[in-house]
């Protein structure tokens, strides 16, 4: 086409645009490059590009293309506005959607069934629900697509009773309608009702199964999620990426390495040995949190594509397993690979330094984060630095560091410092840290007992007894069953580990619904 004059054959251009934007997966960016070289794109070409962009990971491009089309005075048709409205719904561009609605009216397309159904879909999901109901007239009630659009909108807005009434009244229920209602219950955490509908579905697809699996994970019912997956396989349904992300999240929460390995094998079978970044990241996170950091590293080394979350997962995993040297070496490798670290990267790096007692190195990374990468420290970074200083016995410096913090220290930071005071037997500073803790909370028995133990370790029994009396007077009871130092360490680790991103089950539910 290029040799013979790229713009000389409009029919060939239409086919090329359609193929690259709609038919071949993952080639929408190529379609945009081709489209940019077309001298006079027609309505079909614009519609195809808008449609492909609306369905892609960058739906905003669809809105940009429509704006370009409008400025170029290319005449739209009823399909144009439907595709743009879908993009507006996907990115929740409410005002833009109202403007497009105005264009639909101006061009006289409100009576068109395709445009009307998309208007119902837009208004039901993020526009004006009353307008959606107005469009849902007698003619619309004969169309299952219109029923599904309004039902889906009500369900996604949390109006499940209205959505269920519509669902029950539907003359014909398609699979989309069933999936919409199941997903609606799942998002509200009503898994029993979701399961009842799931059992009644005359025919299921992968979206139906994914909604249930992701819902169980979302509600913390991970064993049921794994059981549902076994049912899915027994029914002959082929899992997809969304399924696997939910299952890996369940294995991570359960710390079930054996099941996680089986999921890994299923992913390799499904992807023929090649896995995308999302699944690779989820596997690294699962293996690291299940205690198999070596396998996490194998997955990491085997990934062709890596993003910042990939590096964060393995750097953080190494740090929490005590491999400080390897964690910091990997951070240096990350810098050489030109992947820009973010605030989560530095949490992992600082934890590694803290566990290894590398104070100077930790301070250097803290300055690097602020000065070179312009990342403002958050409470997690400050917590790491206080822990680092406390472990090194630099308690006065830790207090001074807290005083210089640009954000308000929380209870975990003061508890970390109180624990350091106990380890190093500093009664005076321990009392100061405890006073700040009691200003924030007075119902944590560990705060009192920790200070009492500091007094006891120094043989100051009167001080220990006074703290115990204060605890009794406040009505606080000591929780039995674990060492205070261990509990303090667990609290800090829980605080820091939660800074690591993991495959989000809510996102899986959303992806299941959008499918």
């Amino acid at each position: 086409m290029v040799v013979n004059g790229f713009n000389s054959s409009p029919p060939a251009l239409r086919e090329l645009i359609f193929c690259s934007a709609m038919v071949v997966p993952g080639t929408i960016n190529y379609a945009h490059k081709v489209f940019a070289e077309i001298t006079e794109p027609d309505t079909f070409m614009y519609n195809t590009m808008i449609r492909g962009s609306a369905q892609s990971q960058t739906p905003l491009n669809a809105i940009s293309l429509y704006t370009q089309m409008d400025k170029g005075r290319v005449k739209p048709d009823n399909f144009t506005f439907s595709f743009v409205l879908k993009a507006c719904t996907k990115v929740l561009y409410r005002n833009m959607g109202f403007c497009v609605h105005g264009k639909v009216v101006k061009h006289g397309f409100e009576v068109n069934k395709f445009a009307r159904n998309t208007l119902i879909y837009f208004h039901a999901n993020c526009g004006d629900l009353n307008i959606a109901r107005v469009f849902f007239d007698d003619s619309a009630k004969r169309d299952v697509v219109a029923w599904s659009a309004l039902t889906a909108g009500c369900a996604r807005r949390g109006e499940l009773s209205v959505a269920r009434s519509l669902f029950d009244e539907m003359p014909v229920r398609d699979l989309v309608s069933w999936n919409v209602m199941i997903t609606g219950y799942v998002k509200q955490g009503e898994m029993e009702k979701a399961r009842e509908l799931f059992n009644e579905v005359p025919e299921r697809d992968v979206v139906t199964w994914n909604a249930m699996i992701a819902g169980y994970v979302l509600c913390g019912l991970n064993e049921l999620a794994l059981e549902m997956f076994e049912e899915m396989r027994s029914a002959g349904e082929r899992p997809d990426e969304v399924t696997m992300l939910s299952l890996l999240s369940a294995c991570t929460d359960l710390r079930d390495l054996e099941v996680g390995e089986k999921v890994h094998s299923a992913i390799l079978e499904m992807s023929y040995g090649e896995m995308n970044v999302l699944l690779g990241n989820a596997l690294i996170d699962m293996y690291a949190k299940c205690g198999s950091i070596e396998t996490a590293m194998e997955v990491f080394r085997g990934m062709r594509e890596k993003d910042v979350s990939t590096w964060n997962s393995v750097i953080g995993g190494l740090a929490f397993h005590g491999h400080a040297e390897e964690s910091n070496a990997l951070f240096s490798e990350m810098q050489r690979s030109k992947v820009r670290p973010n605030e989560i990267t530095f949490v992992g790096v600082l934890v590694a330094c803290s566990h290894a007692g590398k104070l100077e190195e930790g301070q250097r990374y803290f300055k690097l984060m602020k000065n070179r990468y312009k990342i403002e420290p958050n409470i997690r970074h400050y917590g790491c630095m206080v822990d680092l200083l406390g472990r090194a016995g630099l308690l006065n410096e830790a207090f001074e560091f807290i005083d210089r913090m640009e954000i308000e220290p929380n209870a975990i930071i003061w508890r970390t410092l109180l624990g350091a005071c106990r380890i190093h037997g500093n009664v005076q500073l321990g009392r100061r840290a405890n006073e700040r803790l009691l200003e924030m909370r007075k119902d944590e028995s560990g705060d009192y007992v920790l200070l009492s133990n500091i007094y006891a370790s120094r043989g100051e029994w009167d001080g220990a007894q006074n703290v115990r009396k204060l605890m009794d007077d406040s009505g606080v009871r000591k929780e039995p069953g674990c060492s205070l130092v261990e509990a303090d360490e667990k609290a800090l680790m829980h605080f820091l580990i939660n800074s690591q991103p993991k495959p989000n089950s809510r996102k899986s539910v959303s992806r299941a619904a959008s499918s």
Side-chain angles (χ1 to χ4, degrees), residues 62-316:
I63 298 171
S64 299
L65 283 164
Y66 169 70
T67 305
Q68 178 184 329
M69 181 182 185
D70 193 45
K71 288 180 179 177
R73 300 189 182 280
V74 178
K75 189 176 181 180
D77 59 18
N78 56 294
F79 294 107
T80 309
F81 298 118
S82 296
F83 301 144
V84 178
L85 282 167
K86 285 186 177 180
C88 291
T89 307
K90 199 170 183 180
V91 295
L92 302 179
Y93 267 35
R94 192 171 187 270
N95 291 340
M96 183 66 186
F98 276 105
C99 292
V100 175
H101 185 173
K103 292 283 187 178
V104 172
V105 175
K106 179 180 177 181
H107 288 273
F109 291 131
E110 274 185 305
V111 294
N112 178 272
K113 183 175 78 170
F114 193 62
R116 180 204 62 206
N117 287 346
T118 316
L119 281 168
I120 293 173
Y121 175 76
F122 163 74
H123 283 294
N125 279 276
C126 63
D128 189 323
L129 198 53
N130 291 324
I131 295 177
R133 290 183 176 122
V134 168
F135 277 105
F136 192 65
D137 54 17
D138 291 336
S139 59
K141 289 179 180 178
R142 294 192 294 271
D143 187 349
V144 67
V145 176
W147 278 95
S148 295
L150 187 57
T151 304
C154 292
R156 285 167 187 155
R157 287 182 181 225
E159 296 190 22
L160 287 180
S161 58
V162 178
R164 186 58 189 265
S165 296
L166 288 165
F167 178 78
D168 291 338
E169 293 173 19
M170 289 178 72
V172 179
R173 299 171 189 163
D174 60 2
L175 183 54
V176 173
S177 308
W178 285 94
N179 288 343
V180 160
M181 280 308 307
I182 291 171
T183 304
Y185 282 125
V186 162
K187 283 187 174 181
Q188 296 295 318
E190 298 186 28
M191 292 307 299
E192 290 185 8
K193 291 183 178 179
R195 184 66 200 238
E196 286 174 10
L197 280 182
F198 177 84
N199 293 337
E200 295 174 15
V201 178
E203 183 181 353
R204 303 173 185 129
D205 64 1
V206 68
V207 178
T208 322
W209 290 97
N210 284 349
M212 291 299 299
I213 292 170
Y216 282 131
V217 174
L218 179 65
C219 294
L221 303 171
N222 297 300
E223 292 89 349
L224 291 177
L226 296 172
E227 288 176 15
M228 179 65 72
F229 175 62
E230 291 302 323
E231 285 185 44
M232 179 182 185
R233 299 224 295 189
S234 299
E237 185 64 61
R238 185 176 176 81
D240 63 7
E241 176 188 308
V242 177
T243 321
M244 295 310 183
L245 287 172
S246 295
L247 292 173
L248 287 173
S249 181
C251 294
T252 303
D253 289 341
L254 290 169
R255 301 296 192 265
D256 194 328
L257 179 60
E258 184 178 353
V259 176
E261 288 172 340
K262 292 178 181 178
V263 174
H264 187 179
S265 298
I267 290 171
L268 292 176
E269 290 175 14
M270 184 181 78
S271 58
Y272 303 102
E274 285 285 333
M275 69 182 74
N276 62 29
V277 174
L278 279 175
L279 285 172
N281 292 351
L283 278 168
I284 292 171
D285 187 66
M286 183 274 296
Y287 278 120
K289 289 179 179 175
C290 289
S292 183
I293 191 63
E294 296 83 5
T295 313
M297 285 299 299
E298 288 176 14
V299 174
F300 174 79
R301 294 300 181 193
M303 289 174 64
R304 290 188 179 182
E305 291 184 48
K306 302 178 179 74
D307 62 10
V308 66
S309 294
T310 317
W311 291 92
N312 288 349
S313 293
V314 75
I315 287 171

Side-chain angles (χ1 to χ4, degrees), residues 248-512:
L248 287 173
S249 181
C251 294
T252 303
D253 289 341
L254 290 169
R255 301 296 192 265
D256 194 328
L257 179 60
E258 184 178 353
V259 176
E261 288 172 340
K262 292 178 181 178
V263 174
H264 187 179
S265 298
I267 290 171
L268 292 176
E269 290 175 14
M270 184 181 78
S271 58
Y272 303 102
E274 285 285 333
M275 69 182 74
N276 62 29
V277 174
L278 279 175
L279 285 172
N281 292 351
L283 278 168
I284 292 171
D285 187 66
M286 183 274 296
Y287 278 120
K289 289 179 179 175
C290 289
S292 183
I293 191 63
E294 296 83 5
T295 313
M297 285 299 299
E298 288 176 14
V299 174
F300 174 79
R301 294 300 181 193
M303 289 174 64
R304 290 188 179 182
E305 291 184 48
K306 302 178 179 74
D307 62 10
V308 66
S309 294
T310 317
W311 291 92
N312 288 349
S313 293
V314 75
I315 287 171
L318 287 166
F320 290 121
H321 282 78
H323 302 292
E325 296 286 349
E326 294 89 338
S327 179
N328 290 341
L330 203 64
F331 175 69
S332 298
E333 184 181 332
M334 178 184 185
Q335 289 180 296
R336 290 193 298 272
S337 70
K338 307 299 182 184
V339 176
R340 184 179 178 83
N342 61 17
E343 65 275 5
I344 297 172
T345 317
F346 282 99
V347 171
V349 170
L350 291 173
V351 167
C353 293
S354 180
H355 281 194
K358 296 188 175 183
L359 176 61
E360 291 183 2
E361 195 169 343
Q363 290 173 327
R364 180 168 60 83
Y365 283 131
F366 190 76
K367 290 177 182 177
L368 180 73
M369 176 183 71
K370 293 175 63 178
N371 299 334
R372 178 175 173 182
Y373 292 105
K374 308 301 179 186
I375 297 173
E376 286 299 316
N378 60 35
I379 197 70
R380 294 167 292 184
H381 303 118
Y382 285 120
C384 290
M385 291 303 297
V386 170
D387 186 54
L388 223 169
L389 290 166
R391 286 171 185 259
L394 302 174
L395 302 179
N396 286 310
E397 289 84 347
F399 269 98
E400 291 171 5
F401 180 83
I402 293 174
D403 289 339
R404 294 195 306 270
M405 281 174 54
E406 296 179 6
I407 57 179
E408 191 70 24
N410 64 4
I412 292 178
I413 284 183
W414 288 114
R415 176 68 181 264
T416 302
L417 190 51
L418 182 59
C421 291
R422 180 199 180 279
I423 292 170
H424 297 285
N426 193 315
V427 174
Q428 182 181 358
L429 294 181
R431 189 188 301 118
R432 280 178 58 190
N434 186 256
E435 286 172 359
R436 299 301 298 271
L437 260 177
L438 293 181
E439 290 174 6
M440 297 181 177
R441 60 187 190 187
K442 295 187 177 181
D443 57 348
E444 289 287 335
S445 63
D447 299 342
Y448 295 91
V449 179
L450 194 52
L451 180 60
S452 174
N453 289 348
I454 297 175
Y455 280 113
S457 68
R458 304 288 292 179
E460 299 183 20
W461 304 109
D462 288 342
Q465 188 173 356
N466 289 336
V467 174
R468 295 280 182 166
K469 184 176 184 303
L470 176 63
M471 178 178 166
D472 292 338
D473 292 344
S474 302
V476 179
R477 295 183 177 275
K478 180 183 179 298
E479 295 181 9
C482 69
S483 141
L484 287 170
V485 175
E486 182 185 11
D488 191 53
E489 176 77 5
K490 285 180 179 178
L492 178 63
M493 287 302 99
H494 174 75
F495 169 66
L496 296 175
I497 286 172
N498 283 342
S499 71
Q500 290 291 327
K502 76 172 188 173
N504 192 304
S505 51
R506 289 184 183 274
K507 189 179 291 184
S508 298
V509 173
S510 298
R511 293 186 66 178

